[in-house]
Amino acid sequence: MDKKVIEVKNLTYKFDDFVALDKINFDVGKGDIVAIIGPNGSGKSTLLKCIIGMNKPTDGSVKIFGKNPRQVVKNIGYVPQNFEFDRNIPITVYEFMGLEKCGELKHSHSNIKNVLKDVGLSNVEQKKLGELSGGQFQRVMIARALLHEKKLLIFDEPSSGIDIVGEQTIYDLIEEINLDRGTTCLIVSHELNIVNKYANKVICLNKKMICFGSPESVITPANLKKLYGIGAGLYHSH
Ligand code: ADP
Ligand code: MG
């Protein structure tokens, strides 16, 4: 059996003539926690959208579990960078949780309640989605991914808009899901300390892949200088 969860081969993505991603290659294995780092505009969100099949590669290919991403989209939990929705939308957390596969037994009330409890949210099922804080909403998204038993979780800057304690909670949760269920996680992050702590692989992206490997081998002053320019590298923890 092929253990590769994500295979990216020679991936190029263009917006008209503008090259956003240039010949990217990497593999992600089952159970990896992979962080993507790079400056603003380096193509991180674009890469995630190619991986979930929302962007069709201009050239090269992306395979998830050996298949076209669109064929396995049900197995992927994706939390976008800016999830905008109308705050007046009349939907409760409970309804939002059960939106997929409605009516199946495992989406019973008690299951939804339990999974929300697992992510540290109690008594919010009857709240309107628009009443949640940013951190609570992200946890609901994680709870949804748990409920629907996603095999690959993709987070685009999960901590943006959350305070430092909330951020730690989100990453602890990601780590717990990874350990308990062997869920593969791909996370865009700016926090190098967090990347060092939680990821087992790091991708440095700036349109091209600058480097890819363990945090120890990748988060070095020389690589960070190459990636961000002069002055980065303050966070190296070794
Ligand atoms: P990051 O997530 O690393 O900040 P993005 O993937 O959002 O970067 O964007 C990469 C580049 O592609 C940026 O220069 C951005 O301006 C450009 N870009 C992103 N989305 C679009 C779009 N829909 N149309 C044209 N250019 C885009
Ligand atoms: Mg982005």
Side-chain angles (χ1 to χ4, degrees), residues 13-16 18-21 36-49 55 81 156-157 188 190 205 207:
Y13 189 82
K14 290 185 190 173
F15 294 101
D16 297 319
F18 176 78
V19 179
L21 297 171
I36 302 176
I37 62 173
N40 286 331
S42 57
K44 303 180 299 294
S45 294
T46 304
L47 175 60
L48 295 191
K49 288 176 191 166
N55 285 345
Q81 184 169 6
D156 199 345
E157 302 195 28
V188 169
H190 281 299
L205 188 69
K207 291 188 187 195

